[in-house]
Amino acid sequence: MTTPFLKLICIVMRTVTKKIFTCLLILLSVNSMAGAISSQQRGDLNEQQIINPPSQLGAGEAFLTNMIVDPSVESATYHVDALNNPTIRASKIPIQHHYKLAEYNWSIISRVNMGYMTVHQSAIETPWGGSFKPSWEGASVTFGGGIEVPISERWTLAPTLDLGVARFRNNTKFYGTFNNETLKPAFNNNAITNWKSQASTLSGALTLDHKRKFGDYNVDSRLIYALSKVKTFRESSQLRSFDEQVDSAAVRVSIKKALGISLFNYPLSGIMHISGNSFVGGDRHALGFNEYGELGASLVFDISQHQWAIDSFSLGVKGLYGQNVRGWSILMDYNI
């Protein structure tokens, strides 16, 4: 009687110990991931450790939807100064067209935009050896439009609205026997890693545009305020649901000048790009940075002689720098 009873106690103790040990490992490993959320709540960027979706992916998706106010194809890379060195890569491919309303001197805007974003970072070491390396991605497509209303000879006001859908996914790789056998199933079962979600997106923006000519220089200045909302549905786990709202403001200045030269019989112009971008509101630190400036240049090819749908196109590059972030972007623009 005694021996079976002792065996039963030993089995129960081993099971309970294993559960407790697993919970402790989960808490210990997740601590670095939770550090970002707690630091954001404290507003202390110096303590931020990791870009920690799902809410940050929502902020990133909102950021992408705000970018479509400018009808330029762009691919940007952001290196965030935080533990584990997260790198954010965001791309957008918009198609935009203006329909003139001659009677009112207004223009109707219609557009579709495809966006894609990834977040990668260095592997996170575990105290018992091995590591795990999380990565996230988000893809979206939006449809929208607006109206351009001239309010004077040089000023134009343009309210726009965009609706769309997005998809988010986490993919985490585990290294080491113990991490794969114990940590991975525990994380996956609690939807900490390897989850996916769908989302609806809504973005509204108000743009104030000013055009002026100084001799041979055409200066286009633009003030933008955008509000974006991202809400998940059909999540792989309710733990991965979020309802995120992000506001952003931007100032963008383009200075264009004809260069007086041609390439392949196409007249060339140069554009200098100067801009500042800022997240505002309670979630402004969601991506690990909340403001940055950009400086760059583009080369414009005038192809209007062919009487194609596109009058001109441009290729350029911009560098970006801000508190806790640095990077660059490649852009292509067109004029229909």
Side-chain angles (χ1 to χ4, degrees), residues 30-45:
V30 175
N31 181 59
S32 63
M33 303 179 83
I37 296 178
S38 61
S39 66
Q40 290 161 21
Q41 292 172 344
R42 293 190 300 268
D44 186 357
L45 283 176

Side-chain angles (χ1 to χ4, degrees), residues 36-79:
I37 296 178
S38 61
S39 66
Q40 290 161 21
Q41 292 172 344
R42 293 190 300 268
D44 186 357
L45 283 176
N46 292 327
E47 295 184 16
Q48 180 168 338
Q49 295 183 337
I50 185 174
I51 298 294
N52 187 31
S55 63
Q56 280 79 349
L57 273 177
E61 180 58 35
F63 170 62
L64 275 180
T65 59
N66 290 354
M67 290 170 61
I68 68 175
V69 175
D70 287 334
S72 59
V73 179
E74 187 169 351
S75 179
T77 299
Y78 306 85
H79 299 289

Side-chain angles (χ1 to χ4, degrees), residues 109-124:
I109 305 169
S110 64
R111 63 190 180 198
V112 58
N113 180 71
M114 292 164 284
Y116 181 71
M117 181 184 65
T118 62
V119 181
H120 294 278
Q121 63 184 86
S122 303
I124 300 173

Side-chain angles (χ1 to χ4, degrees), residues 45-46 48-49 78-87 287-289 321-326:
L45 283 176
N46 292 327
Q48 180 168 338
Q49 295 183 337
Y78 306 85
H79 299 289
V80 184
D81 296 328
L83 190 63
N84 301 112
N85 303 314
T87 297
L287 291 177
F289 60 93
Y321 184 82
Q323 184 179 19
N324 302 309
V325 66
R326 65 193 184 283

Side-chain angles (χ1 to χ4, degrees), residues 218-222 252-256 271-274:
N218 293 295
V219 181
D220 186 353
S221 304
R222 182 170 292 184
R252 296 172 185 169
V253 180
S254 298
I255 305 172
K256 182 179 180 180
I271 300 179
M272 176 177 288
H273 304 280
I274 306 170

Side-chain angles (χ1 to χ4, degrees), residues 18-29:
K18 184 177 180 181
K19 293 289 186 182
I20 294 175
F21 184 59
T22 300
C23 291
L24 288 175
L25 292 180
I26 294 173
L27 291 174
L28 184 61
S29 300

